[in-house]
């Protein structure tokens, strides 16, 4: 009996020891860090959701943090947004579209931690907005654009990335300009200015979305209309006047011609009113300066407004300087008859002779007859050398002939007479 009791105690002790070892093993297994069996990313355009799946007791994970970074940039960290069953999920909302990103997860149980091997995903591209419709209504000098857009979720409507149109004329390599499309309810509008009548134009759209610019939005074609008014203006300039003309054709019923505007650059504008004959306007403007350029245009009224044609220019003629073509002198003992023939005499304003070579020379002005001038130079000394030249003024400057020298004849009278007013050359 005593032997049996002793054996029973040993059996109980062995059972208790085994149970203790079993409990310790179970406690150790309960605290084990779960094993990561998958790490996946579901990228969007500007956001990405990352899911981590584990095997083991999820209660043993006491800390977890996901990491995402655009390759070559700084890292972003976030704790799980959701833990469900054996999975953890997190969403990063500020990733860069169309860029490669690296991601991983670090998790632990307070005793040790693990960091998963990094993986990669490519963020998706923005959804490109596109032109839904483009309506262009041209006139002769402008065109009016009305556009709609589709897939506008990421489209930028604000300056400086407002949607635009760019346009160019047929046969031109470079764009004529840009127009900003302003939002007006459900449509976008703009006006294309400064166009050439009866010209073919091409239009395409520029749409910004995110930090990008669309390409291949399409191309639209339109033709400007003939001008509602055409005016062929011309000028026939003279020296101090010009004949201005304009031939007008128009479809406007309320068109009323007024006259011409003309001016020399830098000076005030002059106007002259003209009463037309049929579609022709003509007038002569005077008091112009020779050899000067003048700008001119026709002005008229339409729709209660005063308007002008495009400017043209003319240059008044340069007034020729008359020239001496012959110079003669017939001397006597105490006088000399001077004469000269002048070319372009119609432009003479003043003409005469300069008598003498020195500073004491005297200018005498005479009238001309068909370009010929004469003068009797008196009170000269016999057998004395004298000189003279012709001076001419055309109203804008002087011209001088060459000098002509001569010697008076000997005095044939016996007594020598005093000549108090002679002009002797030195």
């Amino acid at each position: 009996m005593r032997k049996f009791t002793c054996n029973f105690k040993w059996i109980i002790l062995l059972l208790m020891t085994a149970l203790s070892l079993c409990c310790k093993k179970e406690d150790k297994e309960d605290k084990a860090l779960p094993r990561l069996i998958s790490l996946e990313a579901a990228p969007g355009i500007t956001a990405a959701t990352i899911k981590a799946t584990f095997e083991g007791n999820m209660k043993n994970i006491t800390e977890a943090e996901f990491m995402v970074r655009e390759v070559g940039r700084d890292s972003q960290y976030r704790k799980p947004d959701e833990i469900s069953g054996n999975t953890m999920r997190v969403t990063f909302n500020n990733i860069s579209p169309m860029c490669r990103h690296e991601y991983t997860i670090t998790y632990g149980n307070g005793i040790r931690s693990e960091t998963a091997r990094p993986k990669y995903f490519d963020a998706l591209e923005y959804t490109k907005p596109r032109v839904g419709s483009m309506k262009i209504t041209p006139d002769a000098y402008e065109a009016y654009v009305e556009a709609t857009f589709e897939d506008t979720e990421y489209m930028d409507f604000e300056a400086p990335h407002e949607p635009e149109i760019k346009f160019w004329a047929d046969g031109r390599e470079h764009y004529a300009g840009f127009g900003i499309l302003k939002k007006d309810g459900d449509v976008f509008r703009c006006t294309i200015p400064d166009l050439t009548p009866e010209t073919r134009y091409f239009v395409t759209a520029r749409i910004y979305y995110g930090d990008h610019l669309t390409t291949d939005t399409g191309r639209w074609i339109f033709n400007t209309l003939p001008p509602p008014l055409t005016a062929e203006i011309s000028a026939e300039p003279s020296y101090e006047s010009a004949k201005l003309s304009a031939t007008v054709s128009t479809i406007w019923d309320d068109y009323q011609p007024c006259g011409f505007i003309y001016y020399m650059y830098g000076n005030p504008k002059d106007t002259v009113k003209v009463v037309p004959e049929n579609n022709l306007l003509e007038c002569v403007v005077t008091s112009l300066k020779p050899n000067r350029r003048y700008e001119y245009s026709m002005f008229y009224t339409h729709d209660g407004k005063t308007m002008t044609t495009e400017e043209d220019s003319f240059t008044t003629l340069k007034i020729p300087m008359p020239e001496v073509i012959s110079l003669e002198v017939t001397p006597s003992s105490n006088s000399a008859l001077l004469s000269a023939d002048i070319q372009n005499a119609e432009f003479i304003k003043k003409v005469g002779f300069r008598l003498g070579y020195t500073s004491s020379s005297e200018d005498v002005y005479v009238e001309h007859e068909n370009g010929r001038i004469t003068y009797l130079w008196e009170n000269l000394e016999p057998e004395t050398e004298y000189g003279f030249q012709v001076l001419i003024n055309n109203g804008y400057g002087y011209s001088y002939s060459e000098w002509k020298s001569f010697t008076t004849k000997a005095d044939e009278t016996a007594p020598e007479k005093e000549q108090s007013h002679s002009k002797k050359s030195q």
Side-chain angles (χ1 to χ4, degrees), residues 1-9:
M1 184 67 179
R2 187 176 185 86
K3 184 177 181 180
F4 173 78
T5 302
C6 183
N7 288 338
F8 180 76
K9 287 182 178 180

Side-chain angles (χ1 to χ4, degrees), residues 45 98 110 142 147 153 167 171 204 215 236 252 272 383 397 421:
I45 299 172
M98 298 184 292
E142 294 181 326
E153 181 181 0
F167 58 94
T204 188
T215 56
E236 298 178 17
W252 289 327
V272 55
E383 300 181 275
H421 297 289

Side-chain angles (χ1 to χ4, degrees), residues 19 21 35 45 154 163 196 211 232 240 295 301 304 334 365 395:
L19 181 62
L21 291 174
R35 182 173 65 89
I45 299 172
Y154 298 101
T196 303
D211 295 326
E232 297 181 3
E240 297 175 332
E295 312 294 329
T301 60
N334 58 5
Y365 292 95

Side-chain angles (χ1 to χ4, degrees), residues 186-260:
D186 295 330
V187 300
F188 292 78
R189 305 180 192 275
C190 78
T191 299
I192 304 175
D194 303 325
L195 302 181
T196 303
E198 298 182 284
T199 302
R200 189 185 192 196
Y201 283 89
F202 301 95
V203 172
T204 188
R206 293 162 55 94
I207 311 172
Y208 293 89
Y209 64 106
D211 295 326
H212 303 276
L213 178 65
T214 59
T215 56
D216 301 325
T217 57
R219 187 172 69 169
W220 293 264
I221 302 173
F222 70 91
N223 293 283
T224 50
L225 303 181
L229 178 143
T230 58
E232 297 181 3
I233 61 175
S234 62
E236 298 178 17
S238 184
Y239 300 102
E240 297 175 332
S241 64
K243 179 182 177 181
L244 305 182
S245 304
T247 303
V248 182
S249 175
T250 182
I251 61 174
W252 289 327
D253 294 332
D254 63 345
Y255 155 77
Q256 181 61 48
C258 297
F260 293 95

Side-chain angles (χ1 to χ4, degrees), residues 152-165:
T152 59
E153 181 181 0
Y154 298 101
M155 184 172 170
D156 193 344
F157 299 106
E158 303 296 330
H161 290 157
E162 294 168 300
E164 301 173 332
I165 56 98

